[in-house]
Each structure stands twice: as structure tokens, then as C-alpha cells.
Amino acid sequence: MNISIIVPVYNVEPYIERCIRSIMNQTFTEGVECILINDCTPDNSIRIVQQLINEYKGNIQFRILSNEHNQGIASVRNIGLQAAKGTYIQYIDSDDYVEPDMLETLYKKACGSSSDILVYDYYCENKNQTIIKKQRAVSSPNECVSLLLKNEIPGYLWNKLLKKDFLLEKHIHFFEGVNMWEDLIVLLLCYLSEPKINYLPYAGYHYIQYNPNSIVSDITIAQVNNKIKACQIVEKILKDKGVYEKYKLDFTCLIMEAKNNFILTKKLRNYKRWKELWPEVNKWIWKINKRWDIRLIYWLAAIRCYCISRFIFRTKEKIKNFYVSIRK
């Protein structure tokens, strides 16, 4: 088997047909399987999938696995990985879709370059525009760790073709119960395991940002707590690997991004919680590799000038939105 596509299915009725048809319409179907995991979706998503599979006459092997109860995205991705038979793994979110030549293009490049991780570009689909997101051509695992923790390269798995044997040999898996930044944790483990990384300047994936049911569409306290838990796991990984001191400033960026929801998001505001989380990193704020205005926002929060910190953040957002509206 050449490629295993893993697709979680949960509450995506308006989008799932487009996703599945984009997989069925691939130009490369030899040795391709698609594993769909039904995480107890409450809508008609699985019925739509089953009907599409029943009508399909192509070579891709489709399998539906069903959970007895909802387990979340991390568990679902582990299930898919364990069931996969392909040399390479491609994760696709069920509200997204892909270009017809994506598998063919990625597989040729991955095989030709002996990649453990093949990174490629993607399209970001908003309601009114499509933006191509070019990725940085970074081949150094150490640099990838640093950039990942600073959110300067995306912590997504779906714009990466992954070699299954590499994941298994390095015992890389998702941490069940962590359903925000679960991709980031897996990528961190990958990069710390010294993979062969290659970049392909090709956009084959369409990332949908207008799904109101998406886990990232509207932040909740449960999701922020998931981010905090992810940070705790990242901290443990860095310490267990003996590289915490090397990446502590980069890790500070990740911590601040997670806990600043307790200041910047009105419905989640909790100054006490913000102060309790990693207070020791406040002394490193002016040393982190971020723009001065971002460091200023962090520093004002650290000295408990929460309102000023929030005001500067909101002003920046208004200015950014203004310029975006002008360009449209």
C-alpha cells in the first residue's frame, strides 16, 4: 500500500461530500486507501459517505471505522494511524478538500527524495477570497522545532506527507484527550527525532476557515484548557529530551499564546489564572524572538497592566482589519 489517507468524521454534513469526492477524483489511486473514522457524528455525514462509497467504481480502498462513543480528534487520529497500511500517511480534515493531482505530486516527490516528512503549500479558503500559503523551505529539524514553538511555521499535519515507518520507529503518537494543538505536539516529537524533511512548492490542500462548527472557529474555555495541557506536554517532552534550556525562549512564545486568552478574550477573562500559569517565564519576555509590540503586550500583562495590554492588542487588530478591508 502506497498512501493511507486518514479522515476524521464529525458534524461535517455540509462539507463531507466535497471532501470525499476530491479524494475519489485523484489522478493517483494505485495502492491508496482512505480510512474514515466516525467519531459518533450526530448528523448525516456518515450516511453521505456510505452512499458515495457505494457508488464509487475506482481503485481507492475505502474503510469506515466507527467509535462507540465520541473520543475527540487526537484519539481518532491514533486509530487511523494504527489501522493504516500505507508507506505514507496523509491526514485530511473532513471539511477541507484537495486538488486532483495532490497524491500523485506528493508521492513522486516523497519517494524521489526519501522524505520522512514532506511539507507543501496550501490554500486558505475564506468566505470571500482564497489565499495561497507558501511554506518556508526549512530542512533543519532543530530550526523546525524553534519555528514551530514560536508559531512561525504552522503546526498542521494535513499539509505534510508523513512516512509511517518513521512515526512507528520513533514511537510517535497523539496524546489522547488533547484536542487543541495535538498536531503541534506530534510535529514536535517528529522534529526532535531528526527526520529527513523536504519542502515541495506546491499547493494541493484547501483549508476551510468558514466552517462555524470547526474546533478553531470560536475559542472556548475547554479549548484554552486544552492548549494549556498541550503546553504542559510540550514542556515535559523538552525536559525529557534534555533540550528545555535550548528552546525555553521559543517555548515562552507558545505559553504566552495559550494563556493570553485569559486576558484578551472577554468571555474567558481570568487574571488570576493568567498569573498562575508559568510565572517564571515573565523574566524572559524581552528576550524572545518576537516583534517589539508583541513583547510589549506580554510585558504589560506580566506587570499586571492588563487593560493597557488589551487596549494595544485591540488597536493592532483594528488597524490590521482596516488594511485588510482596503485591499479587498
Side-chain angles (χ1 to χ4, degrees):
M1 190 67 70
N2 295 320
I3 299 176
S4 294
I5 303 168
I6 299 172
V7 184
V9 180
Y10 184 82
N11 208 19
V12 285
E13 186 174 337
Y15 309 98
I16 189 66
E17 180 174 353
R18 178 178 60 188
C19 175
I20 300 304
R21 288 197 184 279
S22 75
I23 295 169
M24 290 177 170
N25 291 333
Q26 289 296 299
T27 57
F28 179 72
T29 59
E30 180 183 349
V32 176
E33 66 174 356
C34 180
I35 304 168
L36 299 117
I37 299 101
N38 174 16
D39 199 25
C40 296
T41 184
D43 61 3
N44 291 314
S45 295
I46 285 299
R47 282 189 284 275
I48 294 171
V49 169
Q50 190 62 68
Q51 182 176 349
L52 290 169
I53 293 173
N54 291 342
E55 297 170 354
Y56 178 65
K57 305 299 182 184
N59 296 322
I60 297 175
Q61 298 177 24
F62 284 87
R63 285 189 282 160
I64 299 177
L65 307 179
S66 296
N67 291 336
E68 292 183 1
H69 59 275
N70 180 263
Q71 298 184 32
I73 189 66
S75 176
V76 164
R77 286 180 169 162
N78 275 335
I79 291 168
L81 179 59
Q82 291 162 9
K85 300 175 183 176
T87 301
Y88 289 96
I89 304 292
Q90 173 66 56
Y91 287 97
I92 298 178
D93 286 351
S94 48
D95 50 355
D96 299 334
Y97 64 101
V98 297
E99 289 290 305
D101 65 340
M102 188 185 82
L103 295 184
E104 181 177 5
T105 304
L106 299 182
Y107 186 69
K108 285 180 180 178
K109 175 65 176 180
C111 291
S113 58
S114 301
S115 303
D116 294 317
I117 302 175
L118 179 63
V119 181
Y120 57 96
D121 303 328
Y122 63 92
Y123 296 102
C124 188
E125 300 283 356
N126 298 301
K127 282 188 175 180
N128 300 317
Q129 63 178 160
T130 298
I131 303 170
I132 188 169
K133 294 288 186 177
K134 293 284 187 180
Q135 304 302 287
R136 294 169 69 160
V138 183
S139 59
S140 163
N142 289 337
E143 187 178 0
C144 284
V145 171
S146 176
L147 294 173
L148 179 69
L149 293 174
K150 291 185 292 186
N151 196 28
E152 292 182 14
I153 57 174
Y156 304 133
L157 279 178
W158 40 250
N159 76 317
K160 297 162 184 76
L161 191 68
L162 307 166
K163 196 168 189 177
K164 184 186 175 185
D165 282 351
F166 170 78
L167 299 177
L168 296 181
E169 288 168 8
K170 302 300 181 181
H171 306 289
I172 294 170
H173 64 280
F174 295 87
F175 285 75
E176 298 190 8
V178 178
N179 297 312
M180 291 288 289
W181 290 356
E182 74 286 345
D183 286 7
L184 183 147
I185 296 172
V186 166
L187 283 173
L188 176 67
L189 289 168
C190 286
Y191 295 146
L192 287 172
S193 299
E194 297 292 321
K196 183 174 182 182
I197 305 166
N198 285 292
Y199 164 66
L200 180 63
Y202 160 81
Y205 193 100
H206 293 260
Y207 172 41
I208 303 303
Q209 290 202 300
Y210 50 79
N211 177 7
N213 296 319
S214 169
I215 195 168
V216 297
S217 63
D218 187 23
I219 196 74
T220 66
I221 186 62
Q223 290 164 0
V224 175
N225 285 335
N226 256 248
K227 288 184 177 182
I228 299 302
K229 189 174 181 181
C231 285
Q232 292 168 341
I233 293 171
V234 167
E235 181 178 30
K236 185 176 187 306
I237 290 170
L238 294 175
K239 289 180 176 178
D240 288 348
K241 298 282 187 180
V243 293
Y244 180 80
E245 286 299 315
K246 181 178 180 178
Y247 294 112
K248 68 180 182 182
L249 295 182
D250 303 326
F251 179 53
T252 298
C253 298
L254 189 70
I255 291 170
M256 289 298 180
E257 186 176 346
K259 74 176 192 172
N260 267 10
N261 286 283
F262 291 124
I263 293 174
L264 304 177
T265 306
K266 185 175 181 180
K267 65 180 180 179
L268 304 178
R269 201 164 294 158
N270 187 332
Y271 301 142
K272 182 174 182 291
R273 183 85 169 115
W274 192 94
K275 288 186 289 184
E276 290 172 347
L277 293 167
W278 291 281
E280 70 276 8
V281 307
N282 291 344
K283 60 188 175 186
W284 300 327
I285 287 172
W286 286 109
K287 296 180 181 180
I288 63 177
N289 187 18
K290 287 287 186 181
R291 295 197 321 264
W292 70 268
D293 54 327
I294 295 174
R295 285 180 286 165
L296 177 62
I297 291 170
Y298 292 165
W299 178 75
L300 287 168
I303 63 171
R304 304 184 185 185
C305 294
Y306 304 121
C307 294
I308 301 174
S309 175
R310 197 163 57 247
F311 172 77
I312 294 174
F313 174 78
R314 286 177 175 171
T315 301
K316 283 175 73 270
E317 289 297 296
K318 287 180 181 178
I319 292 171
K320 182 177 75 173
N321 292 337
F322 172 73
Y323 280 108
V324 169
S325 66
I326 288 177
R327 293 192 189 103
K328 289 182 179 179

